[in-house]
């Protein structure tokens, strides 16, 4: 399944950003969501340990301003009735507020793989 394409195809009402506690970084995640979905590169997927049946994917997008760290995001995709989906961005790292920063897709992929996200070798495009 091409999960990133699935999220891209969802209406805005079926995509959300949520983090507890809410921080300025997650306000930026909300502001960058469209960009991340347009420019994002799929890094890998895993089954959610928190929500049975949900899939989690890691995505990295290059920095919008052309320098510095890009945007590393994780989405949890919930399967709903009639094969509909809902996507929740639950992790957003941009090198601020003590979060990791990744300047290349390669370094982001190493981090994603170390955190259980696999299967991205064939989807290095956006």
């Amino acid at each position: 399944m091409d999960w990133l394409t699935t999220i891209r195809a969802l209406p805005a009402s079926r995509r959300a950003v949520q983090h507890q506690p809410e921080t300025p970084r997650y306000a930026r995640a909300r502001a960058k969501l469209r960009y991340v979905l347009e420019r994002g590169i799929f890094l890998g997927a895993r089954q959610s340990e928190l929500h049975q049946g949900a899939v989690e994917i890691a995505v990295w997008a290059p920095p919008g301003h052309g320098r510095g760290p890009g945007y590393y995001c994780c989405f949890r995709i919930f399967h709903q009735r009639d094969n509909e989906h809902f996507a929740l961005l639950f992790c957003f790292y941009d090198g601020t507020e003590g979060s990791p920063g990744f300047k290349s897709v390669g370094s982001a992929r190493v981090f994603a793989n170390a955190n259980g996200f696999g299967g991205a070798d064939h989807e290095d495009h956006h």
Side-chain angles (χ1 to χ4, degrees), residues 5-123:
T5 298
T6 298
I7 296 173
R8 287 174 174 146
L10 292 175
S13 63
R14 293 182 129 344
R15 298 188 304 237
V17 175
Q18 182 178 19
H19 190 264
Q20 294 299 328
E22 182 68 28
T23 67
R25 186 163 26 109
Y26 285 87
R28 284 193 303 284
R30 232 172 251 107
K32 301 281 186 200
L33 182 60
R34 186 175 182 177
Y35 174 83
V36 166
L37 290 174
E38 288 173 1
R39 298 288 312 274
I41 299 167
F42 177 79
L43 301 175
R46 68 183 185 192
Q47 292 298 310
S48 175
E49 294 179 2
L50 299 176
H51 300 277
Q52 184 176 9
V55 172
E56 296 172 348
I57 68 167
V59 174
W60 181 84
H65 43 75
R67 58 183 163 68
Y71 309 112
Y72 178 95
C73 309
C74 297
F75 293 90
R76 187 171 293 125
I77 305 165
F78 298 92
H79 306 276
Q80 298 181 324
R81 67 191 181 289
D82 300 327
N83 205 30
E84 292 180 356
H85 297 91
F86 179 83
L88 176 68
L89 184 150
F90 68 93
C91 168
F92 182 79
Y93 295 155
D94 62 356
T96 66
E97 297 176 26
S99 71
F102 305 102
K103 293 184 178 183
S104 72
V105 67
S107 62
R109 179 168 286 121
V110 167
F111 183 80
N113 291 162
N115 284 281
F117 293 96
D121 296 337
H122 64 285
E123 291 191 52

